[in-house]
């Protein structure tokens, strides 16, 4: 919207509001001022108009109408709206009453309707004369960036800019008092002929007005606001309202983009005022006379919706905005009427024009707009200790173990191909495709595929593990277990040749893993019937009838064995028996070492065989202060006994 500050000065009391304050206040609440321009007043070279191009938020389409925009400006700056017409209305009340009494003799023709949510009103203009529009209307349209046509269409554009309603202009050669008019929903595709000769194809579901159940004369959702021609002396002005926001009748509009954009700006409480404004200007400016016949839908169920009541908890100001003290003047500034308040709650009456206020959080956002988003204090998260459940700690320990031993973690989809099903597989009732049709019964198939793909691409020993859930059906019951599986080649860090001890070295990794969870004594059973394991080089690990898991070489039928020069080992362990409470970690005892290095000396002595070794030990220890130990290594006999001593000094 492009609006003039000079015009605002005329309709409201801006006091001494500066341009900078005006722009900053609008920007603060989300009405962004994109552009500022200056222009000279015509015939007044001293005065200048300062125009502000204001960007209206998408949720405030009501602000594109002058009526609601001025109300918003008044609320923001606590100004006084100068309703000049209300002041003159009291002085000319006797003339207005005389005019109102004339309409009491109007003949009414009811447009029959079986729909309870549509309102239509039509009035005919006779003796139409096409005069030039007044200068004040042309200026006001220029203020809205609307090009003036210098005819009666300027009045229609003015009312649309002020109140939002668009009027359907029809040549009333079809409307007569003898015909019957009815609202109807189309059940098939039909053609509608516009006054300018164009043809509209109407889809099923469109609501139209028919005359005598034959010709379509008006369509809901189609607005022809331009005069077909100026040769006719009579025109019918039709105004229609339908609550497009809720669309209770699920109608299909002729031009959805145009219709939705226009209908969303229409509010039921303005229907009366917009029609009064239009008809008053037509009569005052003598464009024509009103024929004393009115057409409308007479439906008792249709009425103005009651204004919404929303409540707001006071504690949420602290939770969302970090505000302790609430300024109730801001509610008034935002146009929210506070009708009740308790110790914990606020109750607000929301006008029908505010379609964007539906929830409690919308009220909080509206309050925050008027404070200014940059003026809030930060809400920092509180520092608190994080406590992990036992199962999470268990998984963390397992991941650390395998990562330290050179494995890479893999996360695969829990769904598998239809071709890999078994008797215990669980199938989905409505799968997306065959590749994702049943739940996996083991982690090993996807791990073997990952290992094969990586091995073919890089020819490097990539060792993988995965922790996840498996599913199977046993004895008509569904069982779900969490397991850890892996696939690897041994050794990890060198290229030693194959040996008979390699299998035991590879199993040593699993032994170290089980030892962490307190399993020192367990039974290793040779017979394994699991399809992925080698029939003679695999074992079943058991502990007191509990199957801890499986370990062994990959079955020779897999193609990857032909590419690899070294054996491929796989394992699968059940996490149900590897509990965090059984986790064992030996305590490392700290031992302080000497600052000086140890000195060890080898000494040889020739002594008589009658000398005792213990006397030699005592003699040396009493004469050497820094001697730590004495070791007698060897002695032998030639003529006399010769002893070899090793002395350790500290």
């Amino acid at each position: 919207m492009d609006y003039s500050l000079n015009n605002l000065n005329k309709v409201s009391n801006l006091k001494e509001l500066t341009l900078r304050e005006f722009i900053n206040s609008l920007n603060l609440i989300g009405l962004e001022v994109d552009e500022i321009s200056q222009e000279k007043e015509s015939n007044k070279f001293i005065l200048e108009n300062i125009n502000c191009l204001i960007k209206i938020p998408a949720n405030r389409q009501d602000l594109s109408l002058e009526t609601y925009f001025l109300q918003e400006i008044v609320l923001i700056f606590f100004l006084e709206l100068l309703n000049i017409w209300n002041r003159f209305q009291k002085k000319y009340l006797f003339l207005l009453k005389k005019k109102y009494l004339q309409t009491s003799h109007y003949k009414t023709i009811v447009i029959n309707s079986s729909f309870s949510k549509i309102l239509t009103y039509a009035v005919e203009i006779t003796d139409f004369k096409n005069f030039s529009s007044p200068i004040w209307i042309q200026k006001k349209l220029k203020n809205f960036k609307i090009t003036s046509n210098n005819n009666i269409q300027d009045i229609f554009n003015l009312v649309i800019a002020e109140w939002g309603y668009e009027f359907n202009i029809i040549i009333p050669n079809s409307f007569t008092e003898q015909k019957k008019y009815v609202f109807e929903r189309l059940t098939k595709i039909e053609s509608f002929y516009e006054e300018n000769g164009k043809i509209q194809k109407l889809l099923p579901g469109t609501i139209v007005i028919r005359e005598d159940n034959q010709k379509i004369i008006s369509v809901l959702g189609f607005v022809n606001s331009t005069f077909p021609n100026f040769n006719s002396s009579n025109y019918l002005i039709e105004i229609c309202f339908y609550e497009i926001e809720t669309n209770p009748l699920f109608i299909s509009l002729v031009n959805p983009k145009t219709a939705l954009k226009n209908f969303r700006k229409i509010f039921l409480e303005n229907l009366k005022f917009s029609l009064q404004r239009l008809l008053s200007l037509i009569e005052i400016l003598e464009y024509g006379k009103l024929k004393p016949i009115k057409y409308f839908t007479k439906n008792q169920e249709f009425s103005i919706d009651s204004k919404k009541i929303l409540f707001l908890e006071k504690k949420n100001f602290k939770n969302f905005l970090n505000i302790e003290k609430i300024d109730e003047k801001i509610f008034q500034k935002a146009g929210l009427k506070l009708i009740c308040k308790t110790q914990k709650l606020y109750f607000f009456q929301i006008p029908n024009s505010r379609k964007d206020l539906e929830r409690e959080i919308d009220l909080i956002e509206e309050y925050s707009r008027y404070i200014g988003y940059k003026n809030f204090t930060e809400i920092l998260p509180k520092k608190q200790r994080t406590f992990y459940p036992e199962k999470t700690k268990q998984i963390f320990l397992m991941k650390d173990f395998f990562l330290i031993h050179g494995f890479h973690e893999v996360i695969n989809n829990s769904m598998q191909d239809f071709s890999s099903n078994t008797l215990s597989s669980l199938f989905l009732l409505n799968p997306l495709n065959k590749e994702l049709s049943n739940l996996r019964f083991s982690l090993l198939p996807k791990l073997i595929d990952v290992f094969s793909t990586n091995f073919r691409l890089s020819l490097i020993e990539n060792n993988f593990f995965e922790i996840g859930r498996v599913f199977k059906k046993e004895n008509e019951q569904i069982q779900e277990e969490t397991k850890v599986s892996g696939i690897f080649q041994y050794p990890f860090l060198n290229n030693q040749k194959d040996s008979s001890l390699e299998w035991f070295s590879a199993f040593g990794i699993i032994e170290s893993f089980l030892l962490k969870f307190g399993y020192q004594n367990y039974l290793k059973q040779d017979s394994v019937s699991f399809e992925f394991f080698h029939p003679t080089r695999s074992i079943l690990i058991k502990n007191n009838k509990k199957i801890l898991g499986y370990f062994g070489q990959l079955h020779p039928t897999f193609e990857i064995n032909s590419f690899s020069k070294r054996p491929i080992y796989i394992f699968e362990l059940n996490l149900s028996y590897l509990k965090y409470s059984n986790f064992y970690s030996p305590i490392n005892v700290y031992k302080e070492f000497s600052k000086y290095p140890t000195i060890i000396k080898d000494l040889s002595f020739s002594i008589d065989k009658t000398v005792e070794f213990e006397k030699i030990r005592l003699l040396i220890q009493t004469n050497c202060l820094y001697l730590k130990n004495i070791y007698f290594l060897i002695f032998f006999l030639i003529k006399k006994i010769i002893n070899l001593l090793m002395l350790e000094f500290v």
Side-chain angles (χ1 to χ4, degrees):
M1 178 182 289
D2 197 6
Y3 217 87
S4 168
L5 287 179
N6 188 27
N7 187 271
L8 284 176
N9 276 298
K10 292 178 181 178
V11 297
S12 60
N13 183 13
L14 288 180
K15 300 178 182 178
E16 296 181 356
L17 185 67
T18 63
L19 179 61
R20 182 179 295 276
E21 292 174 353
F22 180 78
I23 294 173
N24 290 341
S25 299
L26 291 180
N27 288 338
L28 195 64
I29 63 171
L31 300 180
E32 186 178 348
V33 179
D34 278 357
E35 185 180 337
I36 302 172
S37 59
Q38 296 180 351
E39 61 180 15
K40 296 284 186 180
E41 277 282 340
S42 59
N43 302 325
K44 297 178 182 178
F45 299 102
I46 301 175
L47 298 179
E48 267 190 355
N49 259 345
I50 300 176
N51 298 325
C52 298
L53 183 63
I54 300 175
K55 193 174 183 180
I56 304 297
N59 63 336
R60 293 302 307 276
Q61 289 186 348
D62 56 314
L63 296 182
S64 59
L65 309 179
E66 183 190 35
T67 305
Y68 292 104
F69 177 75
L70 291 178
Q71 290 179 4
E72 189 78 4
I73 294 296
V74 168
L75 292 170
I76 293 170
F77 299 103
F78 289 107
L79 305 175
E80 179 186 357
L81 190 62
L82 303 178
N83 294 314
I84 301 174
W85 167 244
N86 292 340
R87 298 179 181 180
F88 283 121
Q89 189 178 24
K90 297 178 182 179
K91 296 181 181 180
Y92 297 98
L93 191 59
F94 66 98
L95 292 176
L96 294 173
K97 285 185 178 180
K98 183 179 179 180
K99 196 66 180 178
Y100 293 155
L101 289 174
Q102 293 179 6
T103 61
S104 62
H105 304 294
Y106 276 38
K107 183 178 180 179
T108 59
I109 297 177
V110 177
I111 301 174
N112 295 322
S113 173
S114 59
F115 310 114
S116 61
K117 297 295 182 182
I118 297 177
L119 178 64
T120 293
Y121 200 93
V123 177
E124 187 175 347
I125 302 176
T126 61
D127 300 332
F128 173 76
K129 300 178 182 63
N130 187 27
F131 297 129
S132 299
S133 57
I135 295 177
W136 70 270
I137 292 181
Q138 295 181 28
K139 283 188 174 183
K140 201 163 188 181
L141 291 176
K142 183 181 178 182
N143 198 43
F144 287 102
K145 294 297 182 182
I146 299 175
T147 305
S148 173
N149 297 311
N150 200 20
N151 53 37
I152 192 175
Q153 278 200 324
D154 288 354
I155 298 177
F156 286 86
N157 292 334
L158 177 65
V159 176
I160 292 171
E162 290 178 340
W163 299 99
Y165 276 90
E166 293 198 20
F167 300 87
N168 217 349
I169 303 170
I170 306 169
I171 297 178
N173 50 12
S174 300
F175 277 78
T176 60
E177 301 176 32
Q178 292 76 24
K179 294 182 180 180
K180 293 183 179 179
Y181 306 97
V182 62
F183 262 111
E184 180 184 287
R185 186 192 295 271
L186 297 183
T187 57
K188 60 181 180 179
I189 298 177
E190 294 193 33
S191 299
F192 171 62
Y193 297 89
E194 299 181 31
E195 299 295 342
N196 55 10
K198 293 183 179 180
I199 301 176
Q200 290 278 357
K201 292 293 182 181
L202 305 181
L203 300 176
T206 307
I207 296 179
V208 299
I209 299 178
R210 287 188 188 272
E211 60 171 10
D212 291 336
N213 296 326
Q214 294 180 0
K215 184 181 178 182
I216 298 175
I217 59 175
S218 181
V219 181
L220 183 66
F222 173 77
V223 178
N224 183 18
S225 58
T226 58
F227 281 84
N229 57 64
F230 292 106
N231 298 326
S232 177
S233 60
N234 291 8
Y235 290 97
L236 188 77
I237 299 174
E238 179 201 5
I239 187 170
C240 183
F241 176 79
Y242 179 73
E243 183 56 69
I244 197 65
E245 293 285 347
T246 57
N247 198 8
L249 301 180
F250 304 101
I251 64 169
S252 58
L253 303 173
V254 178
N255 188 350
K257 293 183 179 180
T258 305
L260 287 174
K261 180 181 178 181
N262 294 330
F263 271 63
R264 282 177 180 151
K265 295 192 298 184
I266 297 174
F267 308 106
L268 184 59
E269 59 264 29
N270 294 338
L271 182 65
K272 173 184 175 182
F273 302 111
S274 60
L275 188 58
Q276 282 181 347
R277 175 71 160 166
L278 179 71
L279 299 180
S280 299
L281 289 174
I282 289 175
E283 282 200 327
I284 292 172
L285 301 175
E286 297 182 348
Y287 281 106
K289 297 180 180 179
L290 301 181
K291 190 176 181 179
I293 298 175
K294 53 186 178 182
Y295 306 82
F296 67 94
T297 54
K298 192 175 182 180
N299 199 323
Q300 301 298 328
E301 296 181 19
F302 196 88
S303 60
I304 298 177
D305 295 333
S306 59
K307 294 184 178 180
K308 297 176 290 187
I309 305 295
L310 293 181
F311 71 89
L312 175 58
E313 294 188 56
K314 294 182 179 180
K315 65 179 182 180
N316 286 334
F317 284 96
K318 176 64 178 176
N319 297 337
F320 292 101
L321 305 180
N322 200 17
I323 294 175
E324 297 287 351
K325 188 177 180 181
I326 304 170
D327 187 2
E328 295 181 1
K329 287 185 178 181
I330 293 182
F331 296 131
Q332 179 186 352
K333 206 173 185 180
L336 305 176
K337 186 177 180 181
L338 181 62
I339 58 175
C340 179
K341 62 179 178 179
T342 63
Q343 189 175 1
K344 296 182 179 180
L345 296 173
Y346 283 118
F347 292 87
F348 297 97
Q349 187 180 53
I350 310 300
N352 290 331
S353 60
R354 296 301 303 272
K355 303 292 185 183
D356 56 317
L357 301 180
E358 297 287 343
R359 306 163 298 170
E360 182 185 19
I361 193 65
D362 296 332
L363 297 175
I364 295 174
E365 182 182 5
E366 192 71 9
Y367 185 91
S368 63
R369 286 176 58 231
Y370 286 87
I371 297 176
Y373 299 120
K374 64 180 181 180
N375 296 329
F376 291 112
T377 56
E378 295 181 353
I379 302 177
L380 300 175
K382 296 180 179 179
K383 294 182 179 180
Q384 56 183 5
R385 293 183 179 180
T386 304
F387 296 95
Y388 295 102
E390 183 176 322
K391 191 173 183 180
T392 307
K393 294 179 181 179
Q394 172 194 20
I395 293 175
F396 283 166
L397 292 172
M398 293 180 180
K399 288 183 178 181
D400 289 342
F401 178 87
F402 287 110
L403 291 173
I404 291 171
H405 284 77
F407 285 81
H408 303 280
E409 186 180 9
V410 175
I411 300 177
N412 291 311
N413 197 337
S414 59
M415 310 299 297
Q416 62 182 9
D417 190 1
F418 177 81
S419 60
S420 59
N421 64 313
T422 62
L423 295 176
S424 60
S425 296
L426 292 172
F427 294 92
L428 298 182
L429 295 177
N430 188 21
L432 294 174
N433 48 50
K434 289 185 178 181
E435 285 75 16
L436 301 171
S437 59
N438 60 337
L439 295 172
R440 63 185 177 187
F441 63 93
S442 173
L443 304 177
L444 289 173
K446 293 286 182 68
L447 277 176
I448 295 172
D449 291 341
V450 171
F451 183 87
S452 301
T453 303
N454 281 271
F455 189 84
R456 289 173 180 175
L457 293 175
S458 63
L459 295 176
I460 299 175
E461 296 174 354
N462 292 317
N463 307 289
F464 304 101
F465 79 98
E466 182 180 5
I467 300 174
R469 296 181 180 181
V470 297
F471 310 86
K472 64 179 179 179
K473 186 169 64 174
E474 190 172 332
N475 299 328
E476 300 300 325
Q477 291 184 349
I478 298 175
Q479 294 185 4
E480 179 181 351
E481 296 177 335
T482 305
K483 294 191 175 183
V484 53
S485 297
I487 181 169
F488 65 97
Q489 286 183 304
Y490 190 90
F492 297 97
L493 302 176
N494 52 51
N495 295 319
Q496 295 176 359
K497 295 182 179 180
D498 191 11
S499 65
S500 58
L501 299 177
E502 183 180 303
W503 190 95
F504 297 98
S505 300
F507 182 66
I509 299 172
I510 306 302
E511 282 186 317
S512 300
F513 180 74
L514 295 175
L515 185 62
K516 290 286 185 181
F517 292 91
Y519 289 104
Q520 297 182 358
N521 299 317
Y522 43 82
L523 179 64
K524 292 177 283 188
Q525 186 175 330
D526 293 339
S527 59
V528 177
S529 59
F530 214 23
E531 57 181 314
F532 305 107
F533 290 87
H534 197 288
T536 59
R537 298 180 183 177
S538 302
I539 58 172
L540 172 68
I541 307 171
K542 296 178 66 176
N543 179 269
N544 297 330
K545 298 183 179 180
K546 295 185 296 185
I547 299 178
L548 302 180
Y550 304 88
F551 171 80
Q553 286 184 214
L554 185 64
H555 199 282
T557 56
F558 283 93
E559 186 180 2
I560 186 61
N561 287 302
S562 60
F563 294 96
S564 177
K565 297 180 180 180
R566 306 190 65 79
I568 301 172
Y569 299 96
I570 57 175
F571 65 88
E572 187 166 82
L573 303 174
N574 194 341
L575 266 63
S576 302
Y577 306 124
L578 305 175
K579 296 183 179 180
Y580 176 76
S581 56
N582 296 335
F583 182 76
Y584 170 74
S585 178
I587 300 174
N588 295 323
V589 180
Y590 175 73
K591 181 180 179 181
E592 185 177 359
F593 291 92
S594 174
K595 297 179 181 180
Y596 306 100
T598 302
I599 300 173
I600 300 175
K601 295 290 185 179
D602 293 337
L603 301 178
S604 298
F605 295 93
S606 297
I607 57 175
D608 191 86
K609 62 178 181 180
T610 58
V611 179
E612 298 179 1
F613 289 149
E614 187 63 27
K615 290 181 179 180
I616 297 174
R617 180 192 299 273
L618 292 174
L619 179 63
I620 296 173
Q621 286 181 343
T622 54
N623 290 279
C624 297
L625 299 177
Y626 300 103
L627 181 64
K628 184 178 180 181
N629 287 315
I630 299 174
Y631 303 98
F632 292 92
L633 297 180
I634 189 172
F635 62 94
F636 53 91
L637 180 64
I638 302 178
K639 294 181 179 179
K640 297 181 180 179
I641 298 177
I642 299 176
N643 298 284
L644 183 62
L645 298 181
M646 184 177 68
L647 305 180
E648 182 180 359
F649 296 91
V650 179

